[in-house]
């Protein structure tokens, strides 16, 4: 029901004397909308109510509240939860030997940032009942306070007495990984997998630890494969989403060419669309899409190229059938080959185009909406993008000054649409492969790496194409590296990120790509012991403490 209706029902229950149901209902409303002072609106919600509440029922309520909150609230939200915190303190004071109430309250108060109280209550609960949930909560609070070594010692001792607890194997393994002890971490999680090979968190967790250890994208692809095979395992998606960061794993690359930096200046100055009399000199030829992005807004802007350096970026690296750019003999201004797409195709591309995705396989899946678009129209969208919208499909605000980024975004999604063209054809010899390869090895351009990303996203989902895609991406990257010996290659960093995102890429090429990225960033991007794949200490709850308690309890202390 609506939050207001649920709160009204809680007030009615309080008025009729059903305080357990009243507290439960209002607490559910409060944690679902922690920005609003639901507790302060209830004059009956006072610490003295503790004498009338069932401690078993209250324990279930605060357990569920802790799971709903997931993470520690910010300071601005804590005041709204104040009345519930005071009631929790009163309940623990009234029932100092109720172990379940103590550790459940500790889990709740941890979410409210009251770490000292949380650790005191969880420690007392552990002393009283030596239960696995008490140990899990106590370790969680210690970990949040930076006491990782104490947590490792506690959980190791618990697993000696309860070797079948797969969840604690995973918790311990992930904690050890966060501490940089990756081999031990993997060993503990694999022990849990041996107990239950189908466990919904152990399988994803081992891939997460391996990714944290060596940053081989194969482990992320394994997570994507696991999620596809087990869509009911949300922890795999949580780990995959947390690990996929940076260019191509999460988002399109930003334009870096000199001519694109002119756009915000022209827009800010209110330059008329004809840009009469304005010329822009570049020291060397830049990729045609960068110039096209400026000309979409200012078609009469003059761009003077002072030099064309070798190897000539206008010349395709491989002869091909499909192309979107051509350079008339001796000219430095590229001309679009295909015409504009049909309006309905332009609208379809704009309808899915966004700068980011949760992971490459998800981008490929989303682009299936373009599977029915004619190939010629998708090629046309690469050089004749829809008008810059006020916001992208996923809500990113845009303006005219973002025309270059918008073209980048459109090109990526149009290529992903091409990856779905005649998807029933065998990969080798298919039209979709031929088109994407021709674009990738055509004149150097943003279209080149957009086409390569479509190949990479396909490889994330189709094991049979991974070796082929790795060879294509690797060769295109090596061509770019060779070109940097005599001229600048503005897409080199993007191509290096593509190498790092490609399954089955040879280690030597991955290492070369990392060195290129390190040189670009000025600092190492990949270091041993850096844990990106592991969730932060306040990660979303993966399982119900309530269900763990129920499995371990002798009696059913829950209420319906």
């Amino acid at each position: 029901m609506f939050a207001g209706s649920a709160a009204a029902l809680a007030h009615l229950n309080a008025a009729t004397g059903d305080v357990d149901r009243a507290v439960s209902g209002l607490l559910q409303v409060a944690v679902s909308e922690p920005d609003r002072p639901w507790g302060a609106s209830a004059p009956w919600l006072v610490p003295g109510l503790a004498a009338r509440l069932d401690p078993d029922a209250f324990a279930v309520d605060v357990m569920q509240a802790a799971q709903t909150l997931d993470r520690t609230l910010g300071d601005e939200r804590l005041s709204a939860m104040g009345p519930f915190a005071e009631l929790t303190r009163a309940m623990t004071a009234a029932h100092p030997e109720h172990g379940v109430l103590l550790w459940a309250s500790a889990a709740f108060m941890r979410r409210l940032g009251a770490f000292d109280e949380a650790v005191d209550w969880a420690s007392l609960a552990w002393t009283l009942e030596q239960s696995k949930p008490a140990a899990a909560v106590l370790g969680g609070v210690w970990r949040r306070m930076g006491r990782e070594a104490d947590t490792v010692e506690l959980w190791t001792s618990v697993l000696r007495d309860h070797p079948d607890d797969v969840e604690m194997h995973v918790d311990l393994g992930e904690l050890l990984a966060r501490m940089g002890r990756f081999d031990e971490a993997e060993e503990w999680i694999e022990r849990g997998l041996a107990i239950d090979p189908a466990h919904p968190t152990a399988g994803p967790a081992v891939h997460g630890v391996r990714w944290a250890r060596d940053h081989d994208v194969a482990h992320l692809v394994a997570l994507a494969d696991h999620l596809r095979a087990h869509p009911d395992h949300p922890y795999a998606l949580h780990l995959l989403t947390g690990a996929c960061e940076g260019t191509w794993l999460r988002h399109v690359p930003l334009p870096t060419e000199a001519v694109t930096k002119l756009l915000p200046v022209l827009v800010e100055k209110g330059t008329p669309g004809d840009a009469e009399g304005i010329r822009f000199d570049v020291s060397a030829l830049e990729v045609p899409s960068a110039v096209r992005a400026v000309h979409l807004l200012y078609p009469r802007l003059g761009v003077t190229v002072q030099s064309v350096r070798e190897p000539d970026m206008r010349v395709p690296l491989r002869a091909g059938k499909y192309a979107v750019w051509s350079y008339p003999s001796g000219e430095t201004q590229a001309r679009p080959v295909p015409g504009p797409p049909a309006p309905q195709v332009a609208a379809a591309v704009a309808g899915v185009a966004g700068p980011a995705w949760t992971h490459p396989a998800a981008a490929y899946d989303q682009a299936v909406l373009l599977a029915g678009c004619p190939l010629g129209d998708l090629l046309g969208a690469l050089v004749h993008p829809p008008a810059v919208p006020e916001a992208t499909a996923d809500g990113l605000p845009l303006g005219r000054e973002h025309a270059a980024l918008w073209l980048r975004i459109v090109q990526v999604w149009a290529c992903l649409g091409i990856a779905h063209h005649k998807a029933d054809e065998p990969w080798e010899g298919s039209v979709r492969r031929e088109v994407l390869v021709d674009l990738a090895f055509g004149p150097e351009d943003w279209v080149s790496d957009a086409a390569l990303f479509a190949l990479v996203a396909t490889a994330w989902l189709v094991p049979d194409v991974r070796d082929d895609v790795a060879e294509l991406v690797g060769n295109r990257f090596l061509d770019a590296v060779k070109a940097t010996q005599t001229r600048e290659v503005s897409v080199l960093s993007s191509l290096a990120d593509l190498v790092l995102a490609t399954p089955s890429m040879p280690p030597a090429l991955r290492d070369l790509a990392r060195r290129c990225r390190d040189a670009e960033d000025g600092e190492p991007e990949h270091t041993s012991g850096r844990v990106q794949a592991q969730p932060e200490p306040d990660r979303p709850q993966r399982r119900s403490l309530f269900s763990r308690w129920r499995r371990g309890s002798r009696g059913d202390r829950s209420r319906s």
Side-chain angles (χ1 to χ4, degrees):
M1 63 179 69
F2 292 108
S5 301
L9 182 59
H11 291 304
L12 286 172
N13 284 326
T16 61
D18 191 350
V19 290
D20 287 318
R21 194 178 298 275
V23 169
S24 178
L26 194 60
L27 182 56
Q28 289 180 51
V29 173
V31 297
S32 68
E33 294 187 354
D35 292 319
R36 304 183 65 181
W38 292 105
S41 68
W44 50 267
L45 189 65
V46 294
L49 197 64
R52 300 169 58 193
L53 291 173
D54 177 359
D56 288 341
F58 189 80
V60 173
D61 292 336
V62 291
M63 261 190 277
Q64 293 174 337
Q67 291 174 307
T68 301
L69 290 173
D70 280 340
R71 296 178 181 274
T72 301
L73 293 177
D75 293 339
E76 70 282 359
R77 293 180 170 184
L78 293 180
S79 59
M81 300 299 296
F84 296 101
E86 291 301 323
L87 182 58
T88 304
R89 294 184 179 103
M91 286 295 292
T92 56
H95 305 279
E97 296 186 357
H98 194 302
V100 175
L101 174 64
L102 288 169
W103 61 253
S105 299
F108 176 60
M109 295 299 280
R110 171 192 161 191
R111 300 298 192 270
L112 303 188
F115 298 116
D116 290 339
E117 289 173 296
V119 77
D120 287 344
W121 295 344
S123 297
L124 181 56
W126 171 247
T127 301
L128 288 171
E129 63 178 37
Q130 302 281 298
S131 69
K132 291 184 289 183
V137 173
L138 177 57
V141 179
W142 275 348
R143 181 182 56 196
R144 189 68 176 80
M145 298 174 70
R147 296 174 58 179
E148 290 91 351
D150 291 335
T151 306
V152 170
E153 182 179 355
L154 172 64
W155 288 349
T156 302
S157 68
V158 171
L159 286 173
R160 281 197 294 265
D161 298 328
H162 304 280
D164 59 341
D165 190 327
V166 180
E167 286 292 348
M168 192 159 286
H169 278 82
V170 174
D171 288 341
L172 178 56
E174 290 186 331
L175 175 58
L176 289 167
R178 197 170 295 112
M179 297 167 68
R181 296 159 61 176
F182 297 108
D183 292 341
E184 294 175 78
E186 186 175 355
E187 182 180 349
W188 277 108
I189 298 175
E190 286 183 336
R191 289 180 189 176
L193 272 175
I195 298 168
D196 182 4
H199 195 272
T201 60
V206 74
H207 298 306
V209 168
R210 291 167 181 167
W211 162 255
R213 180 186 59 207
D214 55 36
H215 281 216
D216 184 344
V217 75
H219 306 312
L220 299 186
V221 175
L223 270 172
D225 289 343
H226 182 99
L227 184 61
R228 186 167 293 270
H230 305 282
D232 57 332
H233 290 182
Y235 193 55
L237 179 60
H238 169 66
L239 285 180
L240 186 57
T241 301
C244 286
E245 296 180 347
T247 303
W248 296 125
L249 287 178
R250 176 57 63 86
H251 59 77
V252 302
L254 294 174
T256 60
E257 288 73 14
V259 69
T260 64
K261 296 173 183 172
L262 183 64
L263 266 174
V265 177
L266 294 174
V267 172
E268 184 179 359
K269 289 181 177 297
T271 305
D274 58 10
E276 187 67 35
I278 299 178
R279 298 197 63 81
F280 185 68
D281 291 346
V282 290
S283 59
L285 185 65
E286 294 195 322
V287 298
S289 286
V291 179
R292 176 66 170 164
V294 178
H295 280 160
L296 288 170
L297 296 185
Y298 302 100
R300 298 182 64 184
L301 177 76
V303 178
T304 301
V305 178
Q306 297 178 353
S307 66
V308 178
R309 299 171 185 172
E310 294 297 330
D312 192 337
M313 61 189 296
R314 299 172 295 182
V315 180
L317 294 168
R318 297 183 184 181
K321 176 180 177 182
Y322 297 92
V324 294
W325 295 117
S326 69
Y327 288 89
S329 179
E331 292 191 16
T332 56
Q333 178 69 54
R335 298 181 183 179
V337 173
Q344 61 269 27
V345 173
V349 173
V352 298
W357 39 83
T358 53
H359 53 87
Y364 178 90
D365 283 341
Q366 187 174 350
V368 74
L369 296 172
L370 305 176
C373 295
L375 177 59
D377 289 311
L378 291 174
L379 290 170
L382 294 171
V383 287
H384 302 282
V388 181
E390 294 183 358
T392 62
D394 52 4
L396 176 71
L398 291 179
R400 286 164 54 84
E401 68 273 18
H402 300 115
L405 175 60
W406 174 242
L407 179 56
R408 262 290 205 187
I409 293 169
V410 167
Q411 288 172 339
V412 167
W413 288 97
C415 285
L416 286 168
I418 292 171
H420 287 279
H421 181 72
K422 295 185 178 180
D424 56 336
E425 290 183 340
W427 176 252
E428 193 65 32
S430 65
V431 174
R432 64 189 184 281
R433 180 188 183 278
E434 182 182 9
V435 174
L436 292 173
V437 171
D438 285 355
L439 296 178
F441 289 87
E444 188 173 302
D445 189 48
W446 297 345
V447 169
S448 306
D449 56 13
L452 289 171
F453 175 68
L455 291 169
V456 170
T458 304
W460 270 58
L461 291 173
V462 186
D464 291 346
V465 311
R466 288 173 184 169
D467 289 342
D468 178 43
V469 170
E471 182 178 359
L472 291 167
V473 175
N475 285 336
R476 183 63 187 85
F477 171 63
L478 289 175
D479 289 333
V481 171
K482 183 178 180 181
T484 60
Q485 297 174 8
T486 54
R487 66 169 171 85
E488 183 179 358
V489 178
S490 63
V491 295
L492 179 64
S493 294
S494 172
L495 292 172
D497 287 326
L498 278 166
V499 168
L500 297 175
T502 304
S504 303
M505 185 62 64
L509 281 178
R510 289 205 311 269
D511 291 342
L512 178 59
R514 288 193 181 104
R515 291 198 297 274
C516 288
R517 295 302 286 119
D518 292 348
E520 179 77 14
D521 296 340
E523 60 181 355
E525 180 168 299
H526 171 75
T527 56
S528 177
R530 179 179 175 187
V531 184
Q532 284 189 326
Q534 297 305 308
E536 292 300 315
D538 254 350
R539 66 187 185 279
Q541 284 286 90
R542 295 191 317 252
R543 75 284 188 190
S544 167
L545 288 172
F546 175 50
S547 63
R548 176 180 267 185
W549 167 51
R550 287 288 303 275
R551 289 196 301 268
S553 64
R554 293 182 179 179
D556 184 356
R557 292 182 282 181
S558 69
R559 63 186 176 91
S560 60

